[in-house]
Amino acid sequence: MTDHKITIVEVTESEKGVRKIPRSYRSVTGRAQASGETVPYESTLERDFAYLADFDDEVDTIISQPLCIRYRVNNGRLRRYTVDFLLKFRPL
Protein backbone atom coordinates (compact mmCIF):
# COMPACT_ATOMS: atom_id res chain seq x y z
CA MET A 1 0.00 0.00 0.00
CA THR A 2 1.32 3.44 -0.92
CA ASP A 3 1.29 6.35 1.51
CA HIS A 4 -0.37 9.40 0.06
CA LYS A 5 0.50 12.72 1.62
CA ILE A 6 -1.96 15.57 1.15
CA THR A 7 -1.27 19.10 2.29
CA ILE A 8 -4.16 21.56 2.50
CA VAL A 9 -3.07 24.83 0.94
CA GLU A 10 -6.21 26.98 1.16
CA VAL A 11 -9.89 26.76 2.05
CA THR A 12 -12.31 29.29 0.53
CA GLU A 13 -15.87 29.60 1.80
CA SER A 14 -18.84 31.68 0.65
CA GLU A 15 -22.57 31.67 1.42
CA LYS A 16 -23.15 32.72 -2.20
CA GLY A 17 -21.03 29.86 -3.55
CA VAL A 18 -17.35 29.76 -4.47
CA ARG A 19 -18.02 29.01 -8.13
CA LYS A 20 -20.85 29.58 -10.54
CA ILE A 21 -22.35 26.62 -12.36
CA PRO A 22 -22.46 27.53 -16.05
CA ARG A 23 -25.19 26.32 -18.36
CA SER A 24 -24.16 23.24 -20.26
CA TYR A 25 -25.63 21.49 -23.25
CA ARG A 26 -23.49 18.40 -22.59
CA SER A 27 -24.74 17.63 -19.09
CA VAL A 28 -27.73 18.34 -16.87
CA THR A 29 -27.49 21.77 -15.26
CA GLY A 30 -30.15 24.05 -13.90
CA ARG A 31 -31.74 25.55 -10.81
CA ALA A 32 -33.99 23.77 -8.33
CA GLN A 33 -36.55 25.61 -6.23
CA ALA A 34 -35.59 24.65 -2.67
CA SER A 35 -35.65 26.28 0.77
CA GLY A 36 -37.38 29.34 -0.67
CA GLU A 37 -34.55 30.03 -3.12
CA THR A 38 -33.22 28.67 -6.38
CA VAL A 39 -30.34 26.26 -5.88
CA PRO A 40 -28.01 25.65 -8.84
CA TYR A 41 -27.04 22.06 -9.70
CA GLU A 42 -24.89 20.33 -12.30
CA SER A 43 -26.21 16.77 -12.29
CA THR A 44 -29.46 14.92 -11.75
CA LEU A 45 -28.03 13.52 -8.51
CA GLU A 46 -27.40 17.04 -7.18
CA ARG A 47 -30.87 18.14 -8.31
CA ASP A 48 -32.53 15.22 -6.54
CA PHE A 49 -30.49 15.86 -3.38
CA ALA A 50 -31.62 19.51 -3.31
CA TYR A 51 -35.27 18.48 -3.70
CA LEU A 52 -34.98 15.80 -0.99
CA ALA A 53 -33.25 18.19 1.41
CA ASP A 54 -36.03 20.71 0.82
CA PHE A 55 -38.57 18.17 2.11
CA ASP A 56 -36.69 17.80 5.41
CA ASP A 57 -38.31 20.14 7.95
CA GLU A 58 -35.05 20.38 9.89
CA VAL A 59 -33.15 21.87 6.92
CA ASP A 60 -33.16 25.67 7.03
CA THR A 61 -30.82 26.57 4.14
CA ILE A 62 -29.24 24.78 1.17
CA ILE A 63 -26.06 26.40 -0.20
CA SER A 64 -24.64 25.23 -3.53
CA GLN A 65 -20.85 25.09 -4.06
CA PRO A 66 -20.13 26.63 -0.62
CA LEU A 67 -16.55 25.54 -0.07
CA CYS A 68 -13.40 25.01 -2.14
CA ILE A 69 -10.41 23.13 -0.73
CA ARG A 70 -7.07 23.54 -2.52
CA TYR A 71 -4.52 20.89 -1.67
CA ARG A 72 -1.17 19.53 -2.82
CA VAL A 73 -0.53 15.81 -3.38
CA ASN A 74 2.66 13.72 -3.17
CA ASN A 75 4.05 14.74 -6.53
CA GLY A 76 3.59 18.44 -5.70
CA ARG A 77 0.66 18.86 -8.03
CA LEU A 78 -1.96 21.37 -6.87
CA ARG A 79 -5.57 20.15 -6.90
CA ARG A 80 -8.91 21.45 -5.73
CA TYR A 81 -12.18 20.00 -4.52
CA THR A 82 -15.44 21.95 -4.44
CA VAL A 83 -18.14 20.71 -2.07
CA ASP A 84 -21.52 20.27 -3.81
CA PHE A 85 -23.81 21.45 -0.99
CA LEU A 86 -23.86 22.71 2.57
CA LEU A 87 -27.04 22.18 4.57
CA LYS A 88 -27.79 24.41 7.53
CA PHE A 89 -30.26 22.98 10.00
CA ARG A 90 -32.83 24.77 12.15
CA PRO A 91 -31.99 24.95 15.86
CA LEU A 92 -33.73 22.37 17.99
Side-chain angles (χ1 to χ4, degrees):
M1 188 156 91
T2 307
D3 268 347
H4 294 286
K5 182 179 178 186
I6 296 174
T7 305
I8 294 178
V9 175
E10 176 185 28
V11 176
T12 307
E13 186 176 2
S14 172
E15 295 248 344
K16 296 183 185 222
V18 293
R19 70 181 271 272
K20 302 287 183 213
I21 297 175
R23 285 187 170 206
S24 172
Y25 298 101
R26 294 183 186 177
S27 64
V28 177
T29 59
R31 301 181 80 75
Q33 186 67 34
S35 71
E37 300 178 18
T38 58
V39 178
Y41 60 84
E42 57 187 343
S43 71
T44 55
L45 183 65
E46 287 184 14
R47 180 199 62 203
D48 294 349
F49 178 82
Y51 284 136
L52 284 172
D54 190 42
F55 276 99
D56 188 335
D57 291 334
E58 295 178 15
V59 174
D60 184 45
T61 309
I62 304 169
I63 302 170
S64 177
Q65 311 286 311
L67 185 71
C68 181
I69 302 168
R70 294 183 193 279
Y71 60 96
R72 195 171 301 281
V73 292
N74 290 27
N75 61 6
R77 189 169 182 179
L78 192 61
R79 305 229 178 205
R80 72 173 177 231
Y81 171 72
T82 303
V83 177
D84 293 330
F85 293 104
L86 172 68
L87 300 182
K88 291 190 174 182
F89 293 89
R90 291 185 173 87
L92 297 176

